[in-house]
Amino acid sequence: MCGIVGYVGPKSSLEVLLGGLRRLEYRGYDSAGVSIIAPGGQLETRKKAGKLDNLIAEITSHPLPIANIGIGHTRWATHGAPTDGNAHPHLGGPTSKLSLIHNGIIENFSELKAELLALGTKFNSETDSEVAAHLIAREFDKTGDLPTAFANVVQRLHGAFTILVIHEDQPDVVLAARRNAPLVIGLGDGENFLGSDVAAFVEHTKRAISVGQDEIVILRADSIEIRTFDGVPVIPVEFTVDWDASAASKGGWSSFMAKEIADQPQAVADTLMGRLNSDGSVRLSEIDGLSADDILNIDRIIMVACGTASYACDVAKYAIEKYSRIPVQVELSHEFRYRDPIVTKNTLIVAVSQSGETMDTLMATRYAKEQGAKVLAICNTQGATLARESDAVIYTHAGPEVAVASTKALTAQITAGFLLALFLGAGRKQLATDELHGLGRQLLKMPALVTEVINNLDLARQLGKDMANAKSVLFLGRNVGFPIAMEGALKLKELAYIHAEGFAAGELKHGPIALIEEGQPVIVIVPSQRDADSLHPKVISNIQEIRARGAKVIAVAEAGDTEVAQYAEHVIYVPKSQSMFAPILTVIPLQVFALELSTAKGLDVDQPRNLAKSVTVE
Ligand code: M6R
């Protein structure tokens, strides 16, 4: 979950590190720290609990010398409270010449710590990470060779880690190791970078290499060398980052979340680009690896994901089942992995993740692969572990998502899910050509419709401000509106810290309706009236049932739905669309509602308490 950055080259390492940490702060913001080595000088470290601004204030009052090498860290606390002492970097050895940063959890740290304590090592923190700093420093004192010492120690560590190390006696090299935690190299001209993801260095270079499992990197200004933990050389595969550096900055918006909500027409358009022809036919060259027979042989799809990404799967399930008639199961990755699920070689696993680094989802896909299943990833981050480890990837092209609350990644994931549904529908011959092309043309209209929604959010904004004192908000939906209700509730929980729950509207009478009392706000996602088999009348009945018990209803409904206005206090209208595709529209007012309510409460919408964007521990 922590963010890691490393640099060696002619620039001021402090500037590169702080810029990288600013872009990685979404990964954790319990503390931040940097270590640098000035030419011919000593290792210097500054670290501070709290957000990056606290570290910057610390450096302003205790300036660092100009240097060209360094490492930086932003922390999401696991072992040890978020204090200055537990902040990274951690120094190793009696002379504190080695500095180390770590993302992950060293599972065997207690036994390693006991070993070090027996040798008289003094610890300065409660973290698991500090053991690695002392072990490497001791090993270096023995061997006199930093890469060898580093390799010897990382092989002894269990668990998940990306570790970066610099040493005062070897001031031209940054060492890195990766197991079960992300690490990417940025290739510059006479300079090189390391980062937890490409956002760390995209401002400086678009050339990148994704570091594989159990690999070590020896990074200098003019060279990189990659070896396995056992010392076998690795031939790196370079890729070009397609994120625009400016996309990872706020650019005048009040928050990253506000900007990312506004980015959604582009995110949806870019995810569709090149994948739908103008006649509506689908092209998904990324999964060319799946032959016609492979597609015909799929007997079940299991979609695995967490949080918001799991709601994208819930929406996609409706489309995939309807258009391709392949049964789809949606599973929270962490539940799937540990319940002995039935997976065969004819099961297609679709793993959905913005970051591509969510450990729960990685563990689920690794397990599925071990059982012989094929894994298709829907992922937003190039070079991410999930993308590397999957048989095929459909990239969502939402661009960097920095706010912890996922917005544009979700609408892009839902869009990719619809593309997959149409692709499979065609491959399984369940959709006639006319129908397929008609749906494709409807999907092509979505970016323009998203723009219309974005331009008409005043009511959602106002309601968010007006409801700043709400203690609880419930959300209801049916069919594709149900996952959107759950997403609306999740947004409110994570941003405004109030009780919120999403229900299937039909489920209410089986228990949750007991929650309704006078004045209870309920946001209802109302389906279109236009379909022959529309659930509109049923949702109107559900609204009547809760109104009769005192609920204050806010409806999100399709333009032209005058009936719902009779039963709701407020109606937020979204444009008419193919009803299957409506979630891409109806979720947006809920995002804005949560953003405004949280802002009205004076909370930090980009960095809500206790959270990190990328959850790289199980
Ligand atoms: O990077 P991922 O898409 O795998 O992340 C999954 C969830 O952790 C993420 O969607 C989380 O629920 C968001 N904070 C919700 O806004």
Side-chain angles (χ1 to χ4, degrees), residues 176-241:
R178 170 187 189 267
R179 170 179 285 167
N180 292 330
L183 179 63
V184 191
I185 303 170
L187 300 169
D189 195 6
E191 60 181 352
N192 287 309
F193 307 80
L194 290 160
S196 299
D197 68 44
V198 296
F201 50 72
V202 69
E203 170 184 12
H204 304 284
T205 180
K206 301 232 164 149
R207 293 173 53 214
I209 292 167
S210 173
V211 179
Q213 183 74 336
D214 288 1
E215 288 177 3
I216 285 172
V217 182
I218 301 166
L219 191 94
R220 294 190 163 83
D222 50 9
S223 71
I224 59 145
E225 191 187 332
I226 308 179
R227 302 175 186 164
T228 64
F229 282 8
D230 304 329
V232 179
V234 173
I235 299 170
V237 182
E238 194 179 319
F239 67 93
T240 305
V241 180

Side-chain angles (χ1 to χ4, degrees), residues 257 304-311 333 352-361 378 380-381 386 401 403-407 409-410 413 487 490-491 494-495 608 611-615:
M257 185 182 175
V304 291
C306 300
T308 289
S310 76
Y311 300 138
S333 313
V352 181
S353 172
Q354 186 286 130
S355 60
E357 300 295 352
T358 298
M359 185 53 75
D360 291 318
T361 301
I378 295 181
N380 194 44
T381 310
L386 179 66
E401 190 181 67
V404 165
S406 189
T407 53
L410 169 76
Q413 285 160 352
E487 168 63 4
L490 175 59
K491 284 284 138 322
E494 73 177 327
L495 294 174
L611 290 170
K613 183 145 190 80
S614 190
V615 186

